[in-house]
Amino acid sequence: MKADTDTTAQRPNQRPELAAIDDETMRGVLRKMHLIRKFEEAAEASYMRGLIHGTMHLSIGQEASAVGSTLPLKAEDYILSTHRGHGHCIAKGADPARMFAEFFGKENGYCKGRGGSMHIADVEGGNLGANGIVGGGLPIAVGVGMSIKAQKLDRVAVVFFGDGASNEGAFHEALNMASIWKLPILFVCENNKYGMSMDVSRAMAVPNVADRAVAYAMPGIIVDGNDLPAVAAVAREAAERARSGGGPTLIECKTYRLRGHSKSDRNLYRTKEEIEEWRNRCPIRRLEAELVAHGRFTPEELMTIEEAAQAEIDAALEFAKASPDPDPKDLTRDVYAD
Amino acid sequence: MSTLTEAAVESAVRELTYAEAIREALAIAMEADERVFLFGEDVGVYGGAFGVSGDLVHRFGPDRVIDTPISELGIAGAAVGAAITGMRPVLEIQFSDFVTLAMEQIVNQAAKIRFMFGGKAKVPMVVRLPGGSGTGAAAQHSQSLEAWFAHVPGLKVIQPSTPHDAKGMLLAAIDDPNPVLIFEHKLLYKTKGHVPEGDYRVPIGKAAVRREGRDLTIVGSSIMAVRAVAAAEKLAQEGIDAEVIDLRSLRPIDFDTIAASVRKTHRLLVVYEGVKTMGIGAEISAMIAESDVFDFLDAPIIRLGGAEVPLPYNPVLEKAAVPQEENILEAARRLARGEA
Ligand SMILES: Cc1ncc(C[n+]2csc(CCOP(=O)(O)OP(=O)(O)O)c2C)c(N)n1
C-alpha cells in the first residue's frame, strides 16, 4: 500500500485516513470488498438451492474490517481467521474459485474438500486457517508471533476473532503472553454486537472488548468497523508498532453482521429495525459515496469495478461446480505426514 | 377392565421428536424441582443451537434458562460449583466437540470431587452434548467423543437412541447424584417415536434388547442402534436372524445383557461411530475375551467403528468415515458366514 505524503498532500480536503489510500490501492480495496460480498451472496444462494451441505457463517456487512485490517499486510504476513472467515480469506488474497471449490467439497478446493467453509486455509498465502472453535486461533497466533520473533522475520500476524471469543479463557491467556513477550500481533476483534444470540452487553462486564487491553498492558483501540479508511489507519499504526518491536495491539472494530449467525438463525434476539439501521451503514456503499463526493471516482468507474467482481465470482462458482469430487479411496490420506 | 379412554389411547400413541422429548423432560424436571436449571450458549430466546430448549425460556424465565457467554471451561466449572452447593444444573455444551475446552472441570473436578473429598460431596450435574456426524459440519463439529468420558471413573455416560429413552434417561440423569454426560446424536433430534406423558425413568446402566435373534448379536448405541435395527430387518429377509442390543449407557456398561446374548448367538458385531481404535468395540471385545463367554464364540468378533481420520466435510467422504446401514449389513453377513 502506498501512503506517501505527496499523494496525501494532493487530497487536502479529505480526512487523512481516506487521503492516505491512493487510487490504485483503493481500486484493490473496492474489488476485494465486492468480491467478499458477492462471494457470500452466491454462497448463500447455493445453500438455499440445496447445493451445499454443512453450514456457513456470512460476514455480509463486515467487509471493511476484513479488508481494512489486512491492508497494511504484505504477502508474507500471516492472518488467522474464524468461522466467519470468507472475508478474511479474500482480503488476504485467496482465489475465490478455490474457495468455492472448498465450499462445494471438491478435490481442488483449498483443503481438498476436507475442510469446508469453516476451515478454509491458504497456508501459502499466509492464511493459517479459519477455525471452527471460537477463540481457537488466538493461542495459535501467540505461537506464530514467537516464531516470527525467533526467526527474526519482518512479519506480523493478524488474528481475527469475535466479541464472543473474548469471553474464552484462550483470549485472555493469548493477550497476556503476546504482551509479556512483545509479539508482533494485531488482535482484531470484529465486534458485531452478538455472539450468536448473545448481546455483548449481556456477555461482558465491560462495555468494550478494547477495555480488556488494560489488563494486558497493550493499546486497546476502538474503531468504526464499517469505515474502511479508519480501520486501515488503525491497522497501519498497529502493524508499524508490531514491526518495530513495540508489541501487540488490540483493535476493536465495531460492526454488525447483517445476516443471521448461520443457516439456522431466526433472528429472535434482535429487531428488524436494528438490522435495517445497520443496512444503511453498509461499509461498501459508504466508502463509494465518500469517494464520489470527493471526485476520486465516478459512479461509472465504481460500477465497472463492481461488475468485474461479479463476473469473477460467477466464473469462480462455475469452476467449483465443474470441479471433481474427492475419491473415497483417499479417505484416510493426509491424516499423518510421511 | 373398561375400554381405554380416548385420552389414554391418545397418550399411548403420542409421538414426539427426540428433541421434543428432551425438552419435555427438562420442563418436567424444572417444574418438579426448583433446584433444576438449564444453562449454556444460546439456550434462551434462540432456543438452543439445535432447537432443543425451544420455548423453555418463556416458560421458566431467564433465571432458570440462562444464556451464558462463550466460555465452556467457565460454564462447566459453574455447573460443578452449583452442583456441590445444592443445585441441579443441566448444562448444554453447544456441540459435543466444544467439551474439549471444558475437560479440566469435567474430568479433574466433577468426576473426582466426591472421591477426593472422602465422599463428603455430591456433584449432581448433567451435561448435554449434541454430537455425531452426518450434517456436513466437518472435523470440529462432528465428533463422537463419548468413549473418552467412559474412561473416567466418577462420570456416567449415556447415549439414548429413541425419544422414549431420551426423556426417561434425562429425567434419571437429573435425579442422579453424580455427574452424567448425555450424548445426543444430532441426526436423532428430528426422529419421532412414542413418548409417554408425565414423569418416568429409564434406568442408567441397563441395555435394551431391540430385536431378538438367534444367529448373531449386534451391539450399538445412539444412532448406531437405530441403524442396527434397520439392518437387522433386512438381514431377516436374507434368513439371518440378528439380535440387536441398544447399549444406552457406556458407563456403567451392561455387560450382562451382552454376555447373555452372545452365549445364545455365538457371534458378535460391535458398531460405534467413534474412531474404531481404542474405542467402545475394544472394550466390549476385551470383556468377552476375559470372561467365560469367550468359549461360546464361533467366529472372531467384528468391530465396526469410525475410520481413522478426522471427520471430512465432503458428504461422500463423511459417510464413508462412519458406519452406515450398508456397512452393518455387510459386516453382519460376513459374521454370519463365519468370515473375519
Ligand atoms: C468453543 C466454541 N464454543 C461455541 C461455538 C459455537 N459458536 C460458533 S460461532 C459462535 C458465536 C461466536 O461469536 P463471536 O465470537 O462474537 O463471533 P461472530 O459469530 O459474531 O462472528 C458460537 C457460540 C464454537 N464454535 N466453539
Side-chain angles (χ1 to χ4, degrees), chain B residues 126-139:
Chain B
V126 175
V127 187
R128 296 188 33 248
L129 303 129
S133 71
T135 65

Side-chain angles (χ1 to χ4, degrees), chain A residues 83-84 132-134 162-165 168 192 194-196 261, chain B residues 41-42 70 72 94 98 101 141:
Chain A
H83 57 286
R84 204 174 301 289
I133 300 299
V134 169
D163 44 278
E168 292 280 17
N192 58 16
Y194 297 96
M196 215 158 144
H261 165 71
Chain B
E41 294 158 18
D42 307 286
I70 310 170
E72 290 79 13
Q94 195 161 69
F98 312 153
L101 285 80
H141 289 73

